[in-house]
């Protein structure tokens, strides 16, 4: 079965201390400047962003009326960004919840948890789309959404294959395993080898691997057409990070980079085993190309992006006005 979270971890909405504890107990395999990072909660390149991430989880409890709702599965309080809205009032409550987080970070963290929570909620609501290819995949979409919601996990995602030679597709690269692809499959699941980009907020509990660029409907592209969700501490999964923009200065000297460094990473799949219980799409180019539109995930993610950009605009305009008044 899926190993995103143990039963003991599925206790509803988390607080900041819970986020830090999981990162210490189940650390993602993050590499920085050629060396593995043993603890992102204390590492100079990550601790500022990790601290803000934990603060966001505390914020949802301080603003619980807007940020939490009762789980339809357990009855516990869970993050509202996992809700499947059925009324205008519920949709408006989602906007208020996401605005709380966006204003807290001044819109400077674009991949806070609610971004992919909205995507996974859309996948769950669009379970028939996945089930049309394989009934297991539709059931997986619903169960994975529930597991992420009940454990209140934070997710990152991969966007595109490495583009070493942009004139050809992934199958025509010098190495057919440069871009992540299916190496083999068996009764237990599939094995993935290769790389994907660009995992923003790698300091996460889970990674969502779905295509965001169009694939050609050819047999060569089929091994690159898949979608799944796995834990970031899955064996063989590595996250190789760029240089941090947090230079270790104080919040007074560097008020933005010391707080809001989300980080980006190349995702390396070194023969990563993905159980069938975690798979949403498999060797299906047409469905991979249409998943975001057909499930409404693009709308859910865009909803979060618009709210984040409004908060960022408010911050920048406010800063400009303050400069004018000061001068």
């Amino acid at each position: 079965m899926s190993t995103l979270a143990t039963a003991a971890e599925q206790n509803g909405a988390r607080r900041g201390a819970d986020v830090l504890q999981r990162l210490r107990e189940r650390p993602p395999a993050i590499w920085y400047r050629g060396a593995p990072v043993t603890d992102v909660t204390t590492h100079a390149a990550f601790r500022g962003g990790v601290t803000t991430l934990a603060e966001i989880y505390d914020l949802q409890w301080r603003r619980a009326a807007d940020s939490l709702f009762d789980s339809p599965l357990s009855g516990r309080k869970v993050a509202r960004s996992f809700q499947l809205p059925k009324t205008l009032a519920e949709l408006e409550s989602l906007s208020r919840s996401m605005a709380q987080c966006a204003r807290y970070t001044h819109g400077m963290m674009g991949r806070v948890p609610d971004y992919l929570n909205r995507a996974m909620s859309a996948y769950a609501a669009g379970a028939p789309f996945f089930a049309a290819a394989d009934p297991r995949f539709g059931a997986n979409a619903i169960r994975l959404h529930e597991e992420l919601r009940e454990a209140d996990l934070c997710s990152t995602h991969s966007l595109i294959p490495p583009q070493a030679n942009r004139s050809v597709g992934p199958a025509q690269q010098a190495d057919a395993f440069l871009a992540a692809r299916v190496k083999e499959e068996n009764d237990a699941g599939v094995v993935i080898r290769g790389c994907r980009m660009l995992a923003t907020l790698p300091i996460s509990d889970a990674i969502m691997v779905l295509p965001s660029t169009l694939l050609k409907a050819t047999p060569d592209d089929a091994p690159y057409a898949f979608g799944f969700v796995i834990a970031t501490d899955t064996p063989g999964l590595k996250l190789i990070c760029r240089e941090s923009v947090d230079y270790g200065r104080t919040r007074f000297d560097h008020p933005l980079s010391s707080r809001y460094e989300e980080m980006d990473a190349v995702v390396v799949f070194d023969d990563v085993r993905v159980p069938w219980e975690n798979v949403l799409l498999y060797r299906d180019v047409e469905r991979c190309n249409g998943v975001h539109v057909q499930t409404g995930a693009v709308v859910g993610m865009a909803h979060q992006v618009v709210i984040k950009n409004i908060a960022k605009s408010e911050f920048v305009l406010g800063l400009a006005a303050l400069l004018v008044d000061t001068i």
Side-chain angles (χ1 to χ4, degrees), residues 19 23 28 30 40 46 49-51 53 109 154 156 200-205 232 239 261-263:
V19 175
L23 284 172
I30 288 179
V40 293
F46 301 91
V50 170
T51 297
L53 179 64
M109 293 183 75
C154 176
T156 183
T200 304
L201 201 71
I203 48 175
S204 294
D205 309 301
T232 50
L239 298 148
E261 168 59 289
E262 295 177 286
M263 188 54 75

Side-chain angles (χ1 to χ4, degrees), residues 4 36 48 133 150 154 157 210 226 231 250 252 269 273-274 294 310 320:
L4 298 181
E150 297 303 314
C154 176
H157 68 335
L210 281 100
F226 47 75
T250 67
F252 181 85
F269 297 88
R273 299 184 181 277
V274 181
Q294 295 299 320
I310 290 172

Side-chain angles (χ1 to χ4, degrees), residues 65-107:
D66 286 328
S67 298
L68 304 178
F69 77 110
D70 295 331
S71 165
L73 181 66
S74 65
R76 297 187 180 97
K77 293 295 182 183
V78 292
R80 191 174 294 278
S81 52
F82 284 110
Q83 190 171 20
L84 307 183
K86 297 180 174 62
T87 66
L88 176 59
E90 290 179 344
L91 187 61
E92 289 173 339
S93 71
L94 269 168
S95 295
R96 289 193 299 272
S97 172
M98 291 190 289
Q100 302 266 14
C101 180
R103 290 194 176 111
Y104 187 79
T105 64
H106 307 299

Side-chain angles (χ1 to χ4, degrees), residues 152-181:
D152 199 14
L153 298 185
C154 176
S155 299
T156 183
H157 68 335
S158 70
L159 294 174
I160 57 176
Q163 296 176 302
N165 182 351
R166 299 193 180 201
S167 66
V168 296
Q172 286 75 47
Q173 299 292 324
D175 183 346
F177 285 97
L178 173 65
R181 61 168 287 165

Side-chain angles (χ1 to χ4, degrees), residues 169-172 176 180-182 215-225 283 285:
Q172 286 75 47
R181 61 168 287 165
V182 176
L215 297 165
K216 295 179 180 179
T218 67
D220 285 344
D221 277 342
Y224 301 92
R283 299 181 70 96
V285 172

Side-chain angles (χ1 to χ4, degrees), residues 17-64:
D18 303 318
V19 175
L20 299 178
Q21 181 179 347
R22 163 127 179 173
L23 284 172
R24 294 186 186 108
E25 292 179 350
R26 297 185 58 175
I30 288 179
W31 287 67
Y32 184 74
R33 290 186 173 179
V37 177
T38 57
D39 187 352
V40 293
T41 68
T42 58
H43 192 285
F46 301 91
R47 63 190 175 206
V50 170
T51 297
T52 300
L53 179 64
E55 291 171 355
I56 289 170
Y57 278 86
D58 283 332
L59 177 68
Q60 69 180 351
W61 278 102
R62 292 203 303 273
R63 307 290 177 82

